Amino acid sequence: MAILKSEGVSPTERLLAGLCDDTFLRLWSYPNPCRDDGKELCDLLVVFQNDVLIFFDRENRRFDQDPEDVNLAWRRWRKEVIDKQVSTAHGAERYIRSGRSIYLDPQKKQSFPFPIDPDQVRCHKIVVAHGAKEACKRASSANVSGSLAISYEETGERFDHPFFVQIDRNHPVHILDTENLEIALTELDTIYDFTAYLDAKLGAIKRHALSYCGEEDVIAHYFLNFDEKRNRHIISTLDAFDTVHIGEGQWFDFERSELYARRKAANQTSYFWDRLLQITSDNALRGLLSGNSKPFQGKSALHFMAMEPRFSRRGLSDFMLKSIRNFPETDDPVVRNVSLMPSFYEGMVYVFLQLKASDDLRSSKNYREVRSGMLEIACGAAKLRMPTIKRVIGIATDAPKFAGQTNSEDLLLMEFEDWNAERRAYYEKANEELRFFQNPQMQASKHTISEFPRPIASPRVRAKLGRNERCVCGSGLKYKKCCGR
């Protein structure tokens, strides 16, 4: 059954919907959902596992006229665009936690497609405020951007200064604006990366009274602040300070750095993974998926593929594209190539199967059944080869080198909670002819992927660098611990 989604009502809502479709993928992002009384719950709702992102988008053009009394205009703008939406966001969270029904339309013809467990849900409330960017930039020559300054602190007397927003740190709501909305949703553009950032920010708000000059500066600070012991980015410090302030201009400098440029360049191939997910998501929304996949119930290959963070998608895409380029050039009518790829998540791997088949086989009615059957055997063979894995995601496609203008994909989820001697024997027997992962000439390679790739010094530079000299890449590390490793 097809699912009809709203595209957003206002221009800013449509912008938000488009960005969220790209970041969280179309399958998990829904504009203008409604309550059981037919009234709008929020402007956009994202549900992925237990994470629920509740977006409110508001625009007020009060500052377009350059008002004489900026303080009065600010108070009225803030009340309409920030204060009311913060209050409504709290109400939306209460509604979701109550377990009441959510619909995709005011007529309540389509229920929200994903179940939400009120006892397990983690709500992230986000208000997107438009209309003050230029006025904010005009307010001070020291302003690097037109972002709102934000402070999370205990409730009390309001410091009512234009373009400075105070939020109760005990009931935090994230405030984005025209300046940093696209930065947030294009730099943190997977569900993992975005929610990891929000979690890091909430952790900082819990530890300190946190303030900053613009959300984009917090994002830059987050990227550059990596805790090696915990293997994650953090915001502020883990030390016990009462107040932490992140200064203005950190994003301005970061965006112009070589470090940022290397990350953006390295990430380009990772969107190959996103395109594969979007194609399948669109088919799921249109009701065109075949097989027994249940993408709206969590247990699907698509769901687990969408869990991968951006840097992991980079490694997976690089590996798949390399496998596609290296597919053997041959005139044989049927040729297969299978690759095994690790996930970011322990105990999960991917099997990538390419199949070159004759035109007669590809046009036959049972071709997809044959290919998906081969994929299942390959996934079972991966378990035989690596007994400790708990989950395999299979991806099968016609070998792109020979597929022409059209292609198709099969996705398969195989889990092993019920793995026993009988299942093992079944796949051992099924794999006797195909012999997936049994070739003694198989080659294994190990790659390390980092958020910010380091440049590799040229042989001439390496010859001149001593092992204890600072590396030329700008990391600040000694050469032997950086590019010289």
Side-chain angles (χ1 to χ4, degrees), residues 173 329 452 458:
V173 175
E329 300 278 358
F452 296 96
S458 68

Side-chain angles (χ1 to χ4, degrees), residues 221-378:
H221 170 89
Y222 171 79
F223 276 130
L224 296 172
N225 197 17
F226 188 78
D227 187 327
E228 293 189 359
K229 291 183 179 179
R230 292 167 177 79
N231 196 32
R232 59 183 173 88
H233 295 277
I234 62 173
I235 292 174
S236 73
T237 173
L238 299 179
D239 297 327
F241 292 104
D242 292 335
T243 303
V244 169
H245 178 73
I246 297 174
E248 187 166 13
Q250 290 201 29
W251 175 259
F252 182 88
D253 294 334
F254 175 61
E255 189 182 26
R256 289 155 180 77
S257 68
E258 183 186 351
L259 199 66
Y260 175 83
R262 291 202 302 268
R263 176 181 179 271
K264 294 294 283 188
N267 278 344
Q268 290 307 303
T269 55
S270 71
Y271 295 98
F272 174 82
W273 191 261
D274 293 46
R275 287 191 291 274
L276 176 59
L277 293 177
Q278 289 288 34
I279 290 170
T280 311
S281 294
D282 286 342
N283 286 333
L285 290 168
R286 294 163 61 191
L288 299 178
L289 286 185
S290 58
N292 60 357
S293 176
K294 299 178 180 179
F296 296 105
Q297 297 181 22
K299 289 288 187 177
S300 71
L302 191 63
H303 171 91
F304 291 107
M305 292 172 70
M307 287 169 52
E308 298 288 344
R310 175 58 57 200
F311 79 92
S312 176
R313 296 183 191 195
R314 184 202 309 163
L316 290 164
S317 297
D318 286 345
F319 192 96
M320 290 178 70
L321 291 169
K322 181 179 179 181
S323 296
I324 290 170
R325 290 193 299 270
N326 291 343
F327 191 91
E329 300 278 358
T330 175
D331 293 329
D332 293 345
V334 179
V335 182
R336 59 177 172 85
N337 180 272
V338 66
S339 305
L340 191 65
M341 308 178 294
S343 167
F344 172 75
Y345 298 94
E346 187 176 354
M348 187 166 88
V349 299
Y350 292 93
V351 167
F352 178 45
L353 171 66
Q354 300 176 77
L355 182 63
K356 176 199 172 187
S358 64
D359 292 340
D360 289 342
L361 177 56
R362 288 185 64 196
S363 61
S364 65
K365 291 183 179 180
N366 66 338
Y367 170 65
R368 292 290 295 273
E369 183 180 346
V370 170
R371 193 177 69 183
S372 61
M374 290 179 65
L375 179 62
E376 180 190 350
I377 295 171

